[in-house]
Amino acid sequence: DKGLRVADKGYLNTAVLRSEITFIDGEAGILRYRGYPIEQLALKSSHLESAYLLVYGSLPTQNQRKTFETEVMHHSVVHADAAQFFRSFRYDAHPMAILTSAFAYLGSYYSEANPSLKGQTLFTKGTPESLAIMDKQIYRLIGKATTLAAMAYRVRQGREFVIPPTGLSYTASFLYQMDYHGQTNYQPNPVLAKALDILFLLHADHELNASCTTVLQTGSSLVDPFSAIAAGCASLYGPLHGGANEAVIRMLISIESPKNVPAFLEAVKKREKVLSGFGHRVYKTSDPRSFIVRKTADEVFKITGKDELLETAMALHEAAMKDEYFIKRRLAPNVDFCGLIYRAMGFPLDFFPVLFAVPRVVGWLAHWRQMMLQEGGVKIWRPRQMYVGAGQRDYVPVEERE
Ligand code: SDX
């Protein structure tokens, strides 16, 4: 088999490319976007500024930041026809099913985003005009991600859609589209808008997680970036990945109170239950984002009041951290306890993965752009397998089969 090596299950310990975007050290609990520590960015930057950093590789100058933010906000409006697309879903459709479909639907508006169908490998050229067309798709996807999410939220409530307002920041505009229903001079709460912006920033990228790998696997066939992002969104939907923030809350609700934590952990050890919000393929000591989530939660709870699940969450965290079974498996809390903040902010439970997908569009696009512009052009991702099935055998007519 020409020296094929079978990667460990789930790509464990397998690097499939070189990247300059995000650095993670799972032992030291380090996360950096283009070399900048996540702790500094969460404190000093914004989601949209960090988006520029992730996609283009450097912190923007004032002009670059203004142009980028103006373009993204300009492209946050969605074609009016999209209303009928959203209204085609049942009232109880999961918003991640709606969002995943919406990204692919959106691609149908922009044929220039699918150049390879015309036999052009436009995005791999790196010429000023091809870069300008690539940038426009990036502005559209980042800008419209919030609008699509807000439409997925409102369509289930039977509410009219809200045109993105002008003059608000990216995240405040999103909150406005979610919650505006005729109040005069409505403005989203600035503390909550800031807290959500920090959470967006924390979720912007995480190197080759399952959904980012899916975007690159799909994008390697040179399909348009909208379709590749839709594929990534589908992967993020799963409870082992982005769906975990919803699963954490369902888990805490099922535990009900701190007194049930020991029994729950016993069930986890017997693999009858999953301890959502804990464990990570890379972080084996701590997920650096979880500390920032904790601090952000304190700010939010000052406005919203503590979430009654917090006590159970803390009891669970404390018990798991002292339990040999979890210590041996090096399972620390990951980023998905942010669901407690989303719940305190009033988002519906099944909307939590959408709050992960919206900011992660940035990381998916940063890696997609990096792949399009890589040295030597794009190679389609086509791994091999080690065949361990039956040897050659002849067909047997059905009447002779026992
Ligand atoms: C995200 O990849 C990323 O970067 C993802 C993410 C991102 O930003 O993109 O960080 C976002 O998805 C965070 C993770 C959210 N998922 C959850 O919280 C769901 C619960 N966590 C697990 O399902 C699990 O920890 C994974 C899926 C996150 C990681 O799975 P792995 O890599 O297969 O886990 P592992 O191989 O390191 O596990 C080692 C051992 C195994 O036990 P043994 O089979 O060796 O006896 O720990 C066990 C696992 O079964 N284990 C758990 C567990 N997580 C791992 N046991 C109980 N509860 C858990 N949560």
Short mmCIF file of all heavy atoms in Angstrom, two decimals, residues 251-252 255 258-259 261-262 264-265 269 275-278 294 309-327 331-333 337 340:
data_model
loop_
_atom_site.label_atom_id
_atom_site.label_comp_id
_atom_site.label_asym_id
_atom_site.label_seq_id
_atom_site.Cartn_x
_atom_site.Cartn_y
_atom_site.Cartn_z
N MET A 251 -28.13 19.26 30.07
CA MET A 251 -27.52 18.39 31.09
C MET A 251 -27.75 18.97 32.49
O MET A 251 -28.21 18.29 33.40
CB MET A 251 -26.01 18.27 30.81
CG MET A 251 -25.20 17.59 31.89
SD MET A 251 -23.42 17.73 31.58
CE MET A 251 -23.15 19.46 32.01
N LEU A 252 -27.51 20.29 32.64
CA LEU A 252 -27.68 20.92 33.97
C LEU A 252 -29.14 20.87 34.40
O LEU A 252 -29.45 20.59 35.56
CB LEU A 252 -27.17 22.37 33.92
CG LEU A 252 -25.67 22.55 33.73
CD1 LEU A 252 -25.33 24.03 33.51
CD2 LEU A 252 -24.89 21.99 34.92
N ILE A 255 -29.89 17.45 35.68
CA ILE A 255 -29.30 17.17 37.00
C ILE A 255 -30.15 17.80 38.09
O ILE A 255 -30.27 17.30 39.20
CB ILE A 255 -27.85 17.68 37.06
CG1 ILE A 255 -26.97 16.94 36.05
CG2 ILE A 255 -27.27 17.55 38.47
CD1 ILE A 255 -25.57 17.49 35.92
N PRO A 258 -27.57 20.54 42.87
CA PRO A 258 -26.23 20.09 43.24
C PRO A 258 -26.24 18.72 43.93
O PRO A 258 -25.32 17.94 43.73
CB PRO A 258 -25.75 21.19 44.20
CG PRO A 258 -26.48 22.41 43.77
CD PRO A 258 -27.83 21.92 43.31
N LYS A 259 -27.32 18.42 44.64
CA LYS A 259 -27.31 17.14 45.39
C LYS A 259 -27.30 15.93 44.43
O LYS A 259 -26.92 14.83 44.79
CB LYS A 259 -28.47 17.06 46.39
CG LYS A 259 -29.86 16.95 45.80
CD LYS A 259 -30.90 16.82 46.94
CE LYS A 259 -32.36 16.71 46.48
NZ LYS A 259 -32.70 16.73 45.10
N VAL A 261 -25.47 15.76 41.69
CA VAL A 261 -24.23 15.74 40.91
C VAL A 261 -23.46 14.43 41.07
O VAL A 261 -23.08 13.82 40.06
CB VAL A 261 -23.35 16.97 41.27
CG1 VAL A 261 -21.91 16.76 40.86
CG2 VAL A 261 -23.92 18.24 40.64
N PRO A 262 -23.28 13.91 42.31
CA PRO A 262 -22.50 12.67 42.44
C PRO A 262 -23.12 11.51 41.63
O PRO A 262 -22.41 10.81 40.90
CB PRO A 262 -22.52 12.38 43.94
CG PRO A 262 -22.76 13.70 44.58
CD PRO A 262 -23.66 14.47 43.62
N PHE A 264 -24.97 11.75 39.02
CA PHE A 264 -24.80 12.04 37.58
C PHE A 264 -23.39 11.65 37.12
O PHE A 264 -23.20 11.00 36.10
CB PHE A 264 -25.06 13.52 37.29
CG PHE A 264 -24.78 13.90 35.87
CD1 PHE A 264 -25.71 13.60 34.87
CD2 PHE A 264 -23.59 14.50 35.51
CE1 PHE A 264 -25.45 13.92 33.54
CE2 PHE A 264 -23.31 14.82 34.17
CZ PHE A 264 -24.25 14.52 33.19
N LEU A 265 -22.40 12.01 37.93
CA LEU A 265 -21.01 11.71 37.54
C LEU A 265 -20.78 10.20 37.50
O LEU A 265 -20.06 9.69 36.64
CB LEU A 265 -20.03 12.39 38.49
CG LEU A 265 -19.94 13.92 38.34
CD1 LEU A 265 -18.91 14.50 39.32
CD2 LEU A 265 -19.59 14.31 36.91
N LYS A 269 -19.44 8.00 34.32
CA LYS A 269 -18.32 7.03 34.35
C LYS A 269 -18.75 5.70 33.75
O LYS A 269 -17.94 4.99 33.14
CB LYS A 269 -17.85 6.83 35.78
CG LYS A 269 -17.18 8.06 36.39
CD LYS A 269 -16.79 7.77 37.83
CE LYS A 269 -16.58 9.03 38.63
NZ LYS A 269 -16.38 8.75 40.06
N LEU A 275 -20.78 14.06 29.86
CA LEU A 275 -20.51 15.28 30.62
C LEU A 275 -20.22 16.40 29.62
O LEU A 275 -19.07 16.66 29.25
CB LEU A 275 -19.30 15.04 31.53
CG LEU A 275 -18.86 16.16 32.45
CD1 LEU A 275 -19.96 16.57 33.40
CD2 LEU A 275 -17.62 15.72 33.23
N SER A 276 -21.28 17.02 29.14
CA SER A 276 -21.08 18.08 28.14
C SER A 276 -20.40 19.29 28.77
O SER A 276 -20.55 19.57 29.94
CB SER A 276 -22.43 18.51 27.58
OG SER A 276 -22.85 17.54 26.66
N GLY A 277 -19.63 19.99 27.93
CA GLY A 277 -18.94 21.18 28.45
C GLY A 277 -17.60 20.86 29.05
O GLY A 277 -16.86 21.74 29.47
N PHE A 278 -17.28 19.54 29.08
CA PHE A 278 -15.96 19.14 29.60
C PHE A 278 -15.20 18.36 28.54
O PHE A 278 -15.82 17.66 27.73
CB PHE A 278 -16.13 18.22 30.83
CG PHE A 278 -16.42 18.95 32.10
CD1 PHE A 278 -17.70 19.49 32.31
CD2 PHE A 278 -15.46 19.13 33.08
CE1 PHE A 278 -17.99 20.17 33.49
CE2 PHE A 278 -15.75 19.82 34.26
CZ PHE A 278 -17.02 20.34 34.46
N ARG A 294 -16.02 32.88 32.27
CA ARG A 294 -16.41 33.00 33.69
C ARG A 294 -16.49 34.48 34.08
O ARG A 294 -17.46 34.93 34.69
CB ARG A 294 -15.40 32.26 34.56
CG ARG A 294 -15.76 32.17 36.02
CD ARG A 294 -16.60 30.97 36.30
NE ARG A 294 -15.96 29.76 35.74
CZ ARG A 294 -15.02 29.07 36.40
NH1 ARG A 294 -14.62 29.45 37.60
NH2 ARG A 294 -14.51 28.00 35.86
N LEU A 309 -29.20 27.76 37.34
CA LEU A 309 -28.41 26.54 37.07
C LEU A 309 -26.96 26.72 37.49
O LEU A 309 -26.18 25.76 37.51
CB LEU A 309 -28.46 26.20 35.58
CG LEU A 309 -29.82 25.75 35.03
CD1 LEU A 309 -29.73 25.58 33.52
CD2 LEU A 309 -30.29 24.47 35.69
N LEU A 310 -26.58 27.96 37.83
CA LEU A 310 -25.17 28.24 38.13
C LEU A 310 -24.67 27.38 39.29
O LEU A 310 -23.59 26.79 39.23
CB LEU A 310 -25.00 29.73 38.46
CG LEU A 310 -23.56 30.23 38.60
CD1 LEU A 310 -22.84 30.12 37.25
CD2 LEU A 310 -23.53 31.66 39.08
N GLU A 311 -25.50 27.24 40.28
CA GLU A 311 -25.11 26.49 41.48
C GLU A 311 -24.79 25.03 41.10
O GLU A 311 -23.74 24.50 41.46
CB GLU A 311 -26.30 26.51 42.45
CG GLU A 311 -25.95 26.80 43.90
CD GLU A 311 -27.21 26.61 44.76
OE1 GLU A 311 -28.31 26.98 44.28
OE2 GLU A 311 -27.07 26.04 45.85
N THR A 312 -25.66 24.47 40.27
CA THR A 312 -25.42 23.08 39.83
C THR A 312 -24.16 23.02 38.99
O THR A 312 -23.33 22.11 39.12
CB THR A 312 -26.64 22.58 39.02
OG1 THR A 312 -27.81 22.77 39.80
CG2 THR A 312 -26.50 21.12 38.63
N ALA A 313 -23.96 24.02 38.14
CA ALA A 313 -22.78 24.05 37.27
C ALA A 313 -21.50 24.10 38.11
O ALA A 313 -20.55 23.34 37.86
CB ALA A 313 -22.85 25.24 36.33
N MET A 314 -21.52 24.93 39.13
CA MET A 314 -20.32 25.06 39.97
C MET A 314 -20.07 23.76 40.74
O MET A 314 -18.96 23.28 40.84
CB MET A 314 -20.48 26.23 40.97
CG MET A 314 -20.75 27.58 40.35
SD MET A 314 -19.58 28.03 39.07
CE MET A 314 -18.22 28.57 40.08
N ALA A 315 -21.17 23.16 41.23
CA ALA A 315 -21.03 21.90 41.99
C ALA A 315 -20.48 20.81 41.08
O ALA A 315 -19.60 20.02 41.45
CB ALA A 315 -22.40 21.50 42.55
N LEU A 316 -20.96 20.79 39.84
CA LEU A 316 -20.51 19.79 38.86
C LEU A 316 -19.03 20.00 38.56
O LEU A 316 -18.23 19.07 38.59
CB LEU A 316 -21.33 19.94 37.58
CG LEU A 316 -21.08 18.94 36.47
CD1 LEU A 316 -21.53 17.55 36.86
CD2 LEU A 316 -21.79 19.39 35.20
N HIS A 317 -18.66 21.24 38.34
CA HIS A 317 -17.27 21.59 38.00
C HIS A 317 -16.36 21.15 39.16
O HIS A 317 -15.37 20.44 38.97
CB HIS A 317 -17.17 23.09 37.76
CG HIS A 317 -15.78 23.57 37.55
ND1 HIS A 317 -15.35 24.81 37.94
CD2 HIS A 317 -14.69 22.97 37.00
CE1 HIS A 317 -14.08 24.95 37.65
NE2 HIS A 317 -13.66 23.85 37.07
N GLU A 318 -16.77 21.49 40.37
CA GLU A 318 -15.93 21.21 41.55
C GLU A 318 -15.77 19.69 41.73
O GLU A 318 -14.65 19.19 41.86
CB GLU A 318 -16.62 21.81 42.78
CG GLU A 318 -15.67 22.21 43.91
CD GLU A 318 -16.45 22.78 45.07
OE1 GLU A 318 -17.22 23.74 44.82
OE2 GLU A 318 -16.34 22.22 46.17
N ALA A 319 -16.87 18.97 41.60
CA ALA A 319 -16.82 17.52 41.82
C ALA A 319 -15.99 16.84 40.74
O ALA A 319 -15.13 16.00 41.02
CB ALA A 319 -18.25 16.96 41.83
N ALA A 320 -16.18 17.26 39.49
CA ALA A 320 -15.45 16.60 38.39
C ALA A 320 -13.95 16.86 38.51
O ALA A 320 -13.12 15.99 38.26
CB ALA A 320 -15.98 17.10 37.05
N MET A 321 -13.62 18.09 38.92
CA MET A 321 -12.19 18.46 39.02
C MET A 321 -11.49 17.69 40.15
O MET A 321 -10.28 17.62 40.17
CB MET A 321 -12.05 19.97 39.24
CG MET A 321 -12.43 20.80 38.03
SD MET A 321 -11.37 20.55 36.59
CE MET A 321 -12.25 19.36 35.63
N LYS A 322 -12.28 17.12 41.08
CA LYS A 322 -11.63 16.40 42.18
C LYS A 322 -11.69 14.89 41.97
O LYS A 322 -11.17 14.10 42.75
CB LYS A 322 -12.36 16.73 43.51
CG LYS A 322 -11.95 18.10 44.09
CD LYS A 322 -12.43 18.31 45.53
CE LYS A 322 -13.91 18.26 45.68
NZ LYS A 322 -14.48 19.19 46.67
N ASP A 323 -12.34 14.47 40.87
CA ASP A 323 -12.62 13.05 40.68
C ASP A 323 -11.55 12.39 39.81
O ASP A 323 -11.29 12.86 38.69
CB ASP A 323 -14.01 12.90 40.04
CG ASP A 323 -14.44 11.45 39.94
OD1 ASP A 323 -13.64 10.64 39.42
OD2 ASP A 323 -15.54 11.12 40.39
N GLU A 324 -10.95 11.34 40.31
CA GLU A 324 -9.85 10.64 39.64
C GLU A 324 -10.18 10.30 38.18
O GLU A 324 -9.38 10.49 37.27
CB GLU A 324 -9.50 9.37 40.43
CG GLU A 324 -8.14 8.75 40.10
CD GLU A 324 -7.05 9.76 39.81
OE1 GLU A 324 -6.93 10.75 40.59
OE2 GLU A 324 -6.34 9.61 38.79
N TYR A 325 -11.41 9.85 37.94
CA TYR A 325 -11.81 9.43 36.59
C TYR A 325 -11.60 10.57 35.60
O TYR A 325 -11.07 10.37 34.50
CB TYR A 325 -13.29 9.01 36.60
CG TYR A 325 -13.83 8.58 35.25
CD1 TYR A 325 -13.85 7.24 34.85
CD2 TYR A 325 -14.33 9.53 34.34
CE1 TYR A 325 -14.35 6.86 33.61
CE2 TYR A 325 -14.83 9.15 33.10
CZ TYR A 325 -14.84 7.82 32.75
OH TYR A 325 -15.32 7.44 31.51
N PHE A 326 -11.97 11.78 35.99
CA PHE A 326 -11.90 12.91 35.07
C PHE A 326 -10.49 13.50 35.05
O PHE A 326 -10.00 13.93 34.02
CB PHE A 326 -12.96 13.95 35.45
CG PHE A 326 -14.34 13.39 35.41
CD1 PHE A 326 -15.00 13.03 36.58
CD2 PHE A 326 -14.96 13.11 34.19
CE1 PHE A 326 -16.25 12.45 36.53
CE2 PHE A 326 -16.22 12.52 34.14
CZ PHE A 326 -16.87 12.18 35.32
N ILE A 327 -9.84 13.43 36.22
CA ILE A 327 -8.46 13.96 36.29
C ILE A 327 -7.57 13.10 35.39
O ILE A 327 -6.85 13.60 34.55
CB ILE A 327 -7.95 13.95 37.75
CG1 ILE A 327 -8.76 14.94 38.60
CG2 ILE A 327 -6.45 14.29 37.80
CD1 ILE A 327 -8.53 14.81 40.11
N LEU A 331 -9.95 15.96 31.81
CA LEU A 331 -11.16 16.63 31.28
C LEU A 331 -11.41 17.92 32.04
O LEU A 331 -11.82 17.90 33.18
CB LEU A 331 -12.36 15.70 31.42
CG LEU A 331 -12.21 14.38 30.67
CD1 LEU A 331 -13.41 13.50 30.90
CD2 LEU A 331 -12.01 14.63 29.20
N ALA A 332 -11.13 19.04 31.42
CA ALA A 332 -11.39 20.34 32.06
C ALA A 332 -12.59 20.98 31.37
O ALA A 332 -12.94 20.59 30.25
CB ALA A 332 -10.16 21.22 31.90
N PRO A 333 -13.20 21.98 32.02
CA PRO A 333 -14.33 22.65 31.37
C PRO A 333 -13.86 23.32 30.08
O PRO A 333 -12.74 23.84 30.03
CB PRO A 333 -14.76 23.71 32.38
CG PRO A 333 -14.14 23.32 33.67
CD PRO A 333 -12.92 22.53 33.34
N PHE A 337 -19.47 26.33 28.50
CA PHE A 337 -20.31 26.76 29.62
C PHE A 337 -20.85 28.17 29.36
O PHE A 337 -21.55 28.73 30.18
CB PHE A 337 -19.52 26.69 30.93
CG PHE A 337 -19.73 25.35 31.62
CD1 PHE A 337 -18.99 24.25 31.23
CD2 PHE A 337 -20.72 25.19 32.56
CE1 PHE A 337 -19.20 23.00 31.81
CE2 PHE A 337 -20.96 23.93 33.15
CZ PHE A 337 -20.20 22.83 32.77
N LEU A 340 -24.62 29.30 29.90
CA LEU A 340 -25.24 29.93 31.08
C LEU A 340 -25.43 31.43 30.84
O LEU A 340 -26.41 32.03 31.28
CB LEU A 340 -24.35 29.72 32.31
CG LEU A 340 -24.39 28.31 32.90
CD1 LEU A 340 -23.23 28.11 33.88
CD2 LEU A 340 -25.72 28.04 33.59
#
